[in-house]
Structure formats: structure tokens, C-alpha cells
Amino acid sequence: MQGKLESFDDDAQRGVIVGDDDGHRYWFTLADWRGRGLPREGTRLRFDARGERAEQVFDAPVPQRVARHTRDDQGRVKSSLLSPWAVAALVLVAVAPLFAVWMPLVDALAVLMAWAGIRQVRRAPARYKGQALCGAAIAIAVLSVLSTGLLAL
């Protein structure tokens, strides 16, 4: 069965568990405790019910949580930054049409910056993000170069 520890008396070394399924109160002694540390009120528990008594009392399994933040050496939460290479590549692709004669060269430079951005994101994924942005910059630059090449023909 599963339940919640309602109370635990350190002096008497007895506790009371309220069962989830039936709402009954089950008592147990410290000799029945198989959990981590000492019992704490409010803890979710797993146990075998024998009449009014709980035996083989354990901490209830807790599902593993997904890590949402990474921490630096001092314990502060690090935020994921957008790769500066990815931003620079996208800006270059956006302004490339302004440099009509030099557009293929500017687009090639944008592809190199996007490639550097992808490498940066892959080397430090906890710190940087923007791989999709780099891919978009590469695709736009290649399409831009191809379209200007086709228009020249």
C-alpha cells in the first residue's frame, strides 16, 4: 500500500500513516522502518498493511525529475545563451542583398560563421543554443547564392 506519514513520535519511536486507498490510519514502530534516514511527517511511504499495523515501511519511489538548469562551479544557475556566431551569421545573411556585387562573398562568410556557431553549440550545449538558427542561416545563404547565380545566367 501507499500512504503519507501523518506523525512520528521520536520518544515513543512510533508513527502513524494514513493510507491512500482507504484513508485508514496504520501505526508502525521504528523497527518496521526501512526508509532513508528517520521518518519525517508528510513523507510519501510504501508499506505492507497487517490489520491496524504497517510493516516493511519504505519511502515511496519518486519519479526522476528532468534537469532544467545547469549550474556553474559556484552553484549559480547558468542560462543558455544564443550563440553569437549564429546571430552574426543570420545578420550577415539578412544584409547580404545590400552588397549586390559582394553578395556571394558575404553569404560565404555567413556560412562560415554559421558553421562556427554549430561547432560552438555542439561543444558547449549546456551554455549555448542556436543550432537551428545556424542551419537556417546556412540554408538561406546557400539559396541566396544559388538564386543570384541563376539570375546571372
Side-chain angles (χ1 to χ4, degrees):
M1 289 187 68
Q2 292 208 4
K4 185 176 181 181
L5 182 58
E6 182 178 73
S7 65
F8 185 77
D9 184 5
D10 288 333
D11 296 330
Q13 295 188 342
R14 284 179 54 129
V16 177
I17 303 170
V18 177
D20 287 346
D21 297 337
D22 53 9
H24 287 101
R25 288 177 163 59
Y26 299 93
W27 64 272
F28 71 98
T29 63
L30 195 56
D32 296 313
W33 179 249
R34 304 287 184 264
R36 296 178 300 271
L38 291 174
R40 293 184 324 265
E41 292 179 5
T43 305
R44 305 286 310 150
L45 302 173
R46 186 176 42 136
F47 61 96
D48 295 330
R50 304 277 186 256
E52 296 290 318
R53 185 168 179 216
E55 296 177 343
Q56 299 292 322
V57 181
F58 289 91
D59 294 310
V62 178
Q64 186 172 356
R65 292 180 285 180
V66 175
R68 295 186 181 182
H69 301 287
T70 56
R71 299 188 180 271
D72 61 9
D73 296 335
Q74 288 78 30
R76 295 180 302 224
V77 174
K78 294 191 316 188
S79 61
S80 291
L81 303 171
L82 193 57
S83 170
W85 291 108
V87 174
L90 198 61
V91 168
L92 269 181
V93 166
V95 299
L98 298 176
F99 302 101
V101 176
W102 300 100
M103 188 172 169
L105 184 62
V106 173
D107 283 334
L109 184 60
V111 168
L112 288 174
M113 287 183 163
W115 177 76
I118 289 173
R119 288 194 58 195
Q120 185 179 42
V121 171
R122 287 191 177 172
R123 286 185 177 175
R127 186 162 184 210
Y128 294 108
K129 60 184 177 181
Q131 194 164 351
L133 191 63
C134 290
I138 290 172
I140 293 169
V142 168
L143 288 173
S144 175
V145 168
L146 289 177
S147 66
T148 55
L150 291 176
L151 292 177
L153 293 177

